[in-house]
Amino acid sequence: MFTGLIRAIGEIERIAPVGGDMRVRVRTAKLPLADIALGDSIAVNGVCLTAVELDQGRFAADVSRETLAHTTLGDLGPGARVNLEPALTLSTPLGGHLVSGHVDGVGQVLEVREDARSWRLQIHAPAELARYIAPKGSICVDGTSLTVNRVVGCVFDLNIVPHTLQETIIGDYRAGTRVNLEVDLIARYLERLLLGDRAADAGGEAITLEFLRRHGFAG
C-alpha cells in the first residue's frame, strides 16, 4: 500500500527485454534506499513494482506483460523521469489517500493551463472508470494523490499547486501525455458490495442509477 505522496523523482536508467517481459532499472535520486530490502515494493509512476536488485542509488524490478499492457511503463525509455514512492509502514503519515499501486487504466491529458501559480489539468479517463470518479473525491495520477475538482462524462479537472509541480513529474505533462490512473479503492469495493450475491455471476450486473433505484439506494 502507498499514500500517493511522491518521495522523489527518479530516472529510468535502462529498460530491457528479459524472458518475454521487461526489467527496468531506475535511478532513485533523493529516495533513500537504506530501509528498502530485496522484495520490497516501490511505486513507479503509480505502479507497484518489486525490487529484485538494489545498488547504490538505483534499483531494478521486473515488469510483466500484464503490467506493460495496462500501464504507461512500456512507453518509457532511458532518461524518462518517474514518480517514486516506497510502500507505507504503520508509522507512515497518511497525508494522501490509500493507494494500492494497481493501475486501473491509462488516461490522457487533454489540457494544461496556468492559473496564477497553480496549473489546471483536464484528463480523459477510460469510459469504464468514469463511474468511480467524483467531484472532491480522490484519484491517483502517475502515483500522485490528487483531488478531483470537476467531472463531465469521462473528463475530470485537477488543480495542481506549486509544491506538487516541483516534487512530481506533473510539471512535464503536456496535452497528449498518457498517465496511469488508479481510482479510489473504496469506490471499487463499494460497487462489488452493492452487487451482493450478483457479484458471483460471471457477467454481474453493472451499477447504474436504475440498479440503485431498484435496490433502494436512490430515489
Side-chain angles (χ1 to χ4, degrees):
M1 298 294 292
F2 305 89
T3 68
L5 297 184
I6 303 306
R7 294 281 301 280
I9 297 177
E11 183 179 299
I12 300 295
E13 182 176 86
R14 183 177 65 196
I15 185 164
V18 177
D21 47 42
M22 306 289 281
R23 176 164 292 187
V24 61
R25 183 180 294 274
V26 182
R27 296 191 188 100
T28 57
K30 67 178 182 180
L31 181 72
L33 295 179
D35 295 328
I36 295 176
L38 289 177
D40 284 354
S41 297
I42 302 175
V44 178
N45 277 3
V47 182
C48 178
L49 298 179
T50 300
V52 296
E53 295 178 9
L54 290 170
D55 198 356
Q56 186 67 33
R58 57 179 54 84
F59 73 95
D62 291 323
V63 185
S64 69
R65 287 189 291 180
E66 174 74 9
T67 299
L68 291 169
H70 293 94
T71 73
T72 65
L73 291 189
D75 299 345
L76 304 180
R81 300 188 342 138
V82 290
N83 290 327
L84 299 178
E85 183 190 357
L88 63 82
T89 66
L90 292 178
S91 61
T92 303
L94 188 60
H97 71 283
L98 287 174
V99 174
S100 69
H102 302 154
V103 171
D104 294 301
V106 174
Q108 185 174 51
V109 177
L110 298 180
E111 182 183 53
V112 178
R113 61 182 175 86
E114 294 183 9
D115 184 4
R117 294 183 304 118
S118 297
W119 277 15
R120 295 278 185 170
L121 296 187
Q122 193 174 79
I123 297 177
H124 186 279
E128 62 271 20
L129 299 186
R131 65 181 179 269
Y132 303 114
I133 304 171
K136 304 308 175 186
S138 297
I139 192 163
C140 196
V141 179
D142 277 343
T144 306
S145 172
L146 297 168
T147 300
V148 176
N149 285 351
R150 187 177 69 130
V151 184
V152 178
C154 295
V155 176
F156 63 95
D157 294 350
L158 303 166
N159 182 78
I160 312 299
V161 298
H163 179 80
T164 304
L165 287 172
Q166 181 178 336
E167 298 296 328
T168 74
I169 64 168
I170 293 176
D172 300 340
Y173 290 176
R174 301 294 182 268
T177 299
R178 285 165 29 96
V179 293
N180 293 321
L181 300 178
E182 180 183 333
V183 299
D184 188 354
L185 61 85
I186 294 175
R188 288 187 309 204
Y189 284 115
L190 179 60
E191 179 180 52
R192 295 291 288 178
L193 287 169
L194 287 174
L195 286 173
D197 293 341
R198 294 174 182 80
D201 298 339
E205 185 180 0
I207 298 294
T208 63
L209 183 57
E210 178 57 30
F211 176 94
L212 294 173
R213 283 176 177 148
R214 287 203 314 269
H215 295 278
F217 293 101

